[in-house]
């Protein structure tokens, strides 16, 4: 059974801290790994990773994939209260590309 | 504003009612999805439509019936639901015919009495 596990389940930090969120996976037909941010309702797309070792960056957020060890990390530097959200990791698992297996998410709360 | 609009935002219904959830996107995307998000559980894929054709039915009970009349609209028809069907139902879309969803709607919060 395809599985995506995120850790920690929740995290509370202070503004300015750097956080690292983890995502590990066990799937039969890996295509890509995606990160989403879910604030109030709609998840918003952050990154799509397909190759090992290539860091993707967007402002204070960055992510990298390790296909040998089957995990990805999402880093957020200089956190702000607006970073408070649920961060979802998902793995695209079939050739057609429509099936995503989601992790349960990491709840991040940034205190001012 | 994500470009994907879902209505209603909230829905309370009895187990014998029939209702429909609506999703609309005017992003020119070719694929649309229904996901279910229950408390403390990962997002679960329900249905995928690509170019108005259903390409994925992820073992969803028949009391959920999707409909995609055109590439901009997606419906989820509900009939004789169970209390465990109470959840947030999210619609999503993607530009291609075979890629992961990139734009999600805000969801419909469904409560079954």
């Amino acid at each position: 059974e395809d599985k995506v596990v995120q850790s920690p389940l929740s995290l509370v930090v202070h503004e300015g801290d750097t956080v690292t969120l983890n995502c590990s996976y066990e799937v039969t037909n890996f295509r890509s790994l995606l990160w989403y941010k879910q604030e109030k309702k709609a998840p918003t797309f952050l990154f799509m990773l397909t190759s090992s070792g290539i860091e993707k960056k967007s402002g204070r957020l960055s992510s990298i994939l390790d296909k040998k060890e089957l995990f990805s990390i999402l880093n957020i530097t200089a956190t702000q209260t607006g970073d408070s959200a649920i961060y979802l990791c998902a793995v695209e698992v079939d050739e057609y590309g429509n099936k995503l297996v989601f992790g349960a998410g990491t709840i991040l709360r940034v205190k001012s | 504003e994500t470009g994907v609009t879902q209505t209603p935002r909230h829905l309370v219904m009895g187990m014998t009612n029939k209702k429909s959830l609506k999703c609309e996107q005017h992003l020119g995307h070719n694929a649309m999805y229904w996901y279910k998000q229950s408390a403390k559980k990962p997002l679960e894929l329900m249905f995928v439509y690509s170019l108005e054709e259903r390409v994925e039915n992820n073992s969803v009970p028949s009391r959920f019936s999707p409909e995609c009349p055109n590439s901009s609209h997606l419906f989820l028809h509900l009939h004789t639901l169970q209390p465990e069907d109470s959840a947030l139902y999210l619609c999503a879309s993607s530009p291609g015919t075979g890629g992961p969803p990139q734009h999600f709607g805000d969801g419909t919060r469904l409560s079954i009495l």
Side-chain angles (χ1 to χ4, degrees):
Chain A
E1 185 187 342
D2 295 329
K3 191 166 60 173
V4 177
V5 178
Q6 291 186 245
S7 63
L9 291 180
S10 66
L11 189 57
V12 180
V13 301
H14 292 278
E15 271 191 313
D17 288 350
T18 292
V19 298
T20 299
L21 309 183
N22 302 291
C23 176
S24 63
Y25 60 91
E26 288 179 39
V27 301
T28 51
N29 189 14
F30 177 90
R31 291 266 300 169
S32 66
L33 185 143
L34 298 98
W35 285 97
Y36 294 87
K37 177 183 181 183
Q38 186 175 21
E39 293 179 83
K40 292 178 182 175
K41 294 284 179 67
T44 53
F45 172 78
L46 294 176
F47 299 110
M48 180 172 168
L49 304 158
T50 53
S51 302
S52 272
I54 299 175
E55 186 183 52
K56 293 222 172 174
K57 279 182 76 74
S58 176
R60 295 176 294 102
L61 276 66
S62 63
S63 183
I64 198 161
L65 174 67
D66 186 328
K67 288 167 76 172
K68 184 179 174 188
E69 299 298 328
L70 309 182
F71 77 92
S72 173
I73 59 171
L74 176 68
N75 276 322
I76 310 175
T77 59
T79 51
Q80 302 171 358
T81 55
D83 296 326
S84 296
I86 301 171
Y87 289 85
L88 298 168
C89 172
V91 174
E92 188 183 0
V93 296
D94 68 15
E95 290 182 1
Y96 200 71
N98 284 314
K99 188 169 181 181
L100 289 183
V101 179
F102 278 85
T106 292
I107 302 171
L108 174 66
R109 183 175 160 219
V110 182
K111 296 168 71 171
S112 56
Chain B
E1 181 60 49
T2 66
V4 178
T5 304
Q6 289 186 243
T7 55
R9 296 293 295 272
H10 301 273
L11 179 61
V12 179
M13 57 188 284
M15 288 193 283
T16 57
N17 291 157
K18 283 186 183 180
K19 296 284 183 185
S20 296
L21 310 185
K22 180 182 175 183
C23 176
E24 193 171 344
Q25 58 91 9
H26 295 289
L27 300 167
H29 287 178
N30 293 317
M32 296 184 77
Y33 311 75
W34 280 117
Y35 281 87
K36 177 183 179 183
Q37 189 172 34
S38 305
K40 299 180 183 177
K41 287 177 73 175
L43 271 162
E44 300 170 71
L45 177 66
M46 298 177 74
F47 302 104
V48 182
Y49 277 82
S50 178
L51 297 173
E52 301 152 46
E53 184 180 330
R54 192 191 311 180
V55 296
E56 181 86 28
N57 179 350
N58 209 29
S59 303
V60 179
S62 59
R63 58 186 183 268
F64 294 92
S65 174
E67 180 191 359
C68 188
N70 55 62
S71 59
S72 299
H73 294 87
L74 184 65
F75 295 90
L76 188 62
H77 304 299
L78 315 172
H79 178 48
T80 59
L81 296 192
Q82 304 298 308
E84 63 265 27
D85 297 322
S86 297
L88 180 69
Y89 289 84
L90 289 162
C91 174
S93 70
S94 68
T97 55
Q102 293 193 5
H103 295 263
F104 281 82
D106 284 338
T108 295
R109 174 68 64 187
L110 177 65
S111 299
I112 306 300
L113 301 178

